[in-house]
């Protein structure tokens, strides 16, 4: 008799997006004449930058002839892309990262989900609340938690992001080994300063812990004082892995390309407390379980770093930031407390009412879809997330309707 991995049974059924879809469908059925504007999902809406499309086409043409054909590539990614990433995303900002520390993949979702495989099942895990659910659920699946009780898995350390700490969690009061951080944050849109990240890096060094830093929204940072990478923090090479993606800066959500940086100094410990480098372990895992991102996609990603590509991706991100600024402005005028909306495509709004009640209010009175904060964790109760991923025209209309509905 085949037995299943019972840890999967501990997972909380994720009704969030299906619940949203159901309520939207019911509303549309009742009001077939009303159009609904979606500011809920975290998916980009604008097409790929022209430089990426050009490089993509050219690479596909290469694949059509024997002399240009590419079969299996290096699992870690082609040197041309790893080099462009190391130089442009890190060395140009004074962060010392080399091409052989960059692992190209088909998504930061997979990488942030898979990385926990390298660490022992009794690792003490610290997870932000509210959170991008991937970090949480993959640790549940692996068996690093007990059952769910009062909206929280037993055995995890939750890092509360609240108004009191300006949505940047404080250091844990109990010891932890593995720490997930995400800045600019999804869902809150909050950012972390160099000083704040430094306290985490110092903590990790003191406690022989490791930080898993998700920087998927790095391109939205426009405040020059904010760090784009954790490797801008002194000492981070020893204690941090960073995840990046082309999804949000260049619209690759449906094209699929991302990367993970594992510096050679990153260490974890075996049962005899001997240091073990993490880089060769991730390399082994990656080569065993992954066979590389397709050649044309890697060429399209490389084009993000061309002169035209840089200008086009900046413009793309700026257009979403313009939406975010508009959303934040109206929400502020209406008197709500919020975070995000600058250096981030998300606006996290304290609704002074239940998350779903606020969701229903916006849907019924304004015809606007948001995401109820409670879907991201206990600390999200009472909040909603608005996303800037839509056209400017739709955001203008949505905010005008919200203004009318809530004034
Ligand atoms: C969108 C997003 C990613 C990127 O995921 P991909 O799989 O690369 O598309 C990673 N982390 C967070 C928090 C995100 O919101």
């Amino acid at each position: 008799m085949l037995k299943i991995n019972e840890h999967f049974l501990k997972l909380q059924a994720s009704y969030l997006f299906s619940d949203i879809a159901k309520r939207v469908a019911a509303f549309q059925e009742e009001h077939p004449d009303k159009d609904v504007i979606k500011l809920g999902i975290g998916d980009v809406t604008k097409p790929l930058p022209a430089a990426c499309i050009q490089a993509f086409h050219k690479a596909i043409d290469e694949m059509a002839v024997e002399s240009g054909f590419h079969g299996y590539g290096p699992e870690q990614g082609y040197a041309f892309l790893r080099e462009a990433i190391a130089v442009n995303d890190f060395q140009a900002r004074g962060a010392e990262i080399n091409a052989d520390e960059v692992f190209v993949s088909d998504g930061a979702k997979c990488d942030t989900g898979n990385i926990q495989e390298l660490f022992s099942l009794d690792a003490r895990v610290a997870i932000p609340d509210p959170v991008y659910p991937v970090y949480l659920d993959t640790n549940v699946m692996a068996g690093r938690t007990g059952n769910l009780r009062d909206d929280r898995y037993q055995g995890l350390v939750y890092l509360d992001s609240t108004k009191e700490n300006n949505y940047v969690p404080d250091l844990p009061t109990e010891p932890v080994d593995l720490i997930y951080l995400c800045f600019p944050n999804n869902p809150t849109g909050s950012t972390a300063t160099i000083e704040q990240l430094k306290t985490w890096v110092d903590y990790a060094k003191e406690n022989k812990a490791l930080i898993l830093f998700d920087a998927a929204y790095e391109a939205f940072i426009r405040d020059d004082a904010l760090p784009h990478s954790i490797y801008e923090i002194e000492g981070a090479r020893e204690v941090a892995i960073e995840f990046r993606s082309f999804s949000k800066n260049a619209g690759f959500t449906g094209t699929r390309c991302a990367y993970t940086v594992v510096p050679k100094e990153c260490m974890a410990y075996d049962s005899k407390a001997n240091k073990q480098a993490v880089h060769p372990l991730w390399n082994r895992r990656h080569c065993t379980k992954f066979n590389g991102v397709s050649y044309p996609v890697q060429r399209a990603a490389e084009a993000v770093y061309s002169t035209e590509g840089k200008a086009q991706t900046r413009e793309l991100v700026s257009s979403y930031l313009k939406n975010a600024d508009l959303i934040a402005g109206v929400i502020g005028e209406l008197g709500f407390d919020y975070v995000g909306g600058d250096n981030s495509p998300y606006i996290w709004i304290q609704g002074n009412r239940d998350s779903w009640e606020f969701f229903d209010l916006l849907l019924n009175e304004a015809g606007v879809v948001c995401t109820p904060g409670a879907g991201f964790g206990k600390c999200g109760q009472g909040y909603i997330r608005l996303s800037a991923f839509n056209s400017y025209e739709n955001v203008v209309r949505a905010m005008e309707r919200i203004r009318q509905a809530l004034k």
Side-chain angles (χ1 to χ4, degrees):
M1 180 176 64
L2 176 63
K3 292 188 179 160
I4 50 141
N5 173 355
E6 288 206 5
H7 300 306
F8 276 66
L9 302 182
K10 296 175 190 164
L11 290 166
Q12 190 175 25
S14 176
Y15 296 123
L16 180 65
F17 289 98
S18 62
D19 273 2
I20 293 174
K22 266 185 224 156
R23 291 186 196 213
V24 173
F27 176 82
Q28 285 182 312
E29 188 139 319
E30 258 177 68
H31 309 278
D33 48 323
K34 283 198 186 152
D35 81 314
V36 169
I37 304 173
K38 292 185 175 152
L39 299 183
I41 44 163
D43 193 1
V44 298
T45 53
K46 293 187 200 308
L48 295 178
C52 298
I53 288 294
Q54 250 171 23
F56 214 169
H57 276 301
K58 183 165 172 274
I60 288 171
D61 286 339
E62 283 180 57
M63 295 293 272
V65 294
E66 215 166 304
S67 60
F69 175 76
H70 287 73
Y72 290 127
E75 288 95 338
Q76 302 90 340
Y78 283 103
F80 62 78
L81 180 55
R82 299 173 88 194
E83 195 62 46
I85 288 167
V87 169
N88 291 283
D89 284 344
F90 299 98
Q91 293 163 17
R93 299 197 61 85
E96 180 203 334
I97 292 297
N98 295 310
D100 64 354
E101 296 172 313
V102 174
F103 294 84
V104 175
S105 78
D106 62 353
K109 182 181 194 175
C110 325
D111 290 351
T112 54
N114 290 329
I115 194 81
Q116 48 76 29
E117 279 184 32
L118 304 190
F119 308 108
S120 74
L121 287 180
D122 60 3
R124 296 163 299 187
V125 183
I127 292 195
D129 180 355
V131 72
Y132 178 61
V134 177
Y135 321 148
L136 183 64
D137 289 354
T138 52
N139 276 289
V140 175
M141 290 169 180
R144 274 189 206 87
T145 75
N147 287 319
L148 191 69
R149 199 182 297 159
D150 296 331
D151 275 343
R152 293 207 150 169
Y153 288 98
Q154 305 290 298
L156 285 181
V157 174
Y158 285 87
L159 303 171
D160 291 357
S161 305
T162 60
K163 193 174 158 179
E164 285 66 43
N165 56 30
N166 205 19
Y167 308 95
V168 179
D170 301 319
L171 294 178
T173 50
E174 52 196 304
V176 298
D177 307 308
L178 197 58
I179 301 155
Y180 290 82
L181 293 177
C182 173
F183 292 107
N185 189 265
N186 179 13
T188 71
S190 67
T191 53
T193 62
I194 288 183
E195 294 71 30
Q196 285 167 325
L197 290 184
K198 179 81 164 64
T199 62
W200 283 100
V201 168
D202 291 346
Y203 174 92
K205 284 173 88 165
E206 271 161 39
N207 293 277
K208 295 188 164 65
L210 193 70
I211 297 168
L212 303 174
F213 190 74
D214 186 342
Y217 296 94
E218 164 278 331
F220 290 78
I221 296 174
R222 290 294 157 87
D223 179 343
D224 290 337
L226 292 172
H228 288 242
S229 164
I230 195 150
Y231 304 117
E232 291 176 50
I233 314 304
E234 196 194 325
R237 279 185 57 87
E238 292 160 50
V239 292
I241 288 173
E242 183 164 306
F243 304 92
R244 293 270 190 108
S245 173
F246 295 97
S247 284
K248 311 297 163 43
N249 66 340
F252 274 52
T253 53
T255 305
R256 312 305 303 143
C257 197
Y259 66 87
T260 291
V261 180
V262 186
K264 296 209 171 140
E265 282 96 312
C266 270
M267 295 291 156
Y269 298 82
D270 64 23
S271 54
K272 298 189 182 70
N274 294 317
K275 276 187 179 179
Q276 298 289 341
V278 176
H279 183 281
L281 300 183
W282 182 248
N283 186 55
R284 184 60 195 253
R285 190 228 166 262
H286 199 73
C287 294
T288 300
K289 297 196 178 182
F290 186 65
N291 232 347
V293 173
S294 86
Y295 172 73
V297 168
Q298 290 193 60
R299 282 293 185 197
E302 181 195 22
V304 166
Y305 300 105
S306 66
T307 308
E308 306 74 39
K310 281 179 184 165
Q312 291 161 5
T313 49
R314 192 174 167 85
E315 197 184 314
L316 187 61
V317 170
S318 292
S319 72
Y320 294 129
L321 282 169
K322 185 178 164 196
N323 296 348
D325 185 61
L326 174 65
I327 296 169
V330 173
I331 292 301
E333 277 169 37
L334 288 168
F336 290 99
D337 256 315
Y338 69 92
V339 64
D342 53 354
N343 306 297
S344 162
Y346 297 123
I347 297 90
W348 184 244
I349 304 158
Q350 195 173 27
N352 307 315
R353 45 170 84 68
D354 173 84
S355 284
W356 280 105
E357 205 180 306
F358 202 0
F359 173 92
D360 286 333
L361 176 69
L362 289 189
L363 179 60
N364 294 321
E365 304 303 322
V368 174
V369 181
C370 67
T371 311
F376 298 104
K378 201 170 181 168
C379 292
Q381 181 52 265
Y383 288 82
I384 58 157
R385 187 190 74 180
L386 286 179
S387 145
F389 294 127
N390 210 315
S391 69
Y392 185 68
E393 295 67 33
N394 279 344
V395 172
V396 168
R397 288 196 305 130
M399 296 321 290
E400 198 41 53
R401 291 197 213 162
I402 290 177
R403 197 197 294 275
Q404 292 305 322
L406 297 183
K407 73 173 184 214

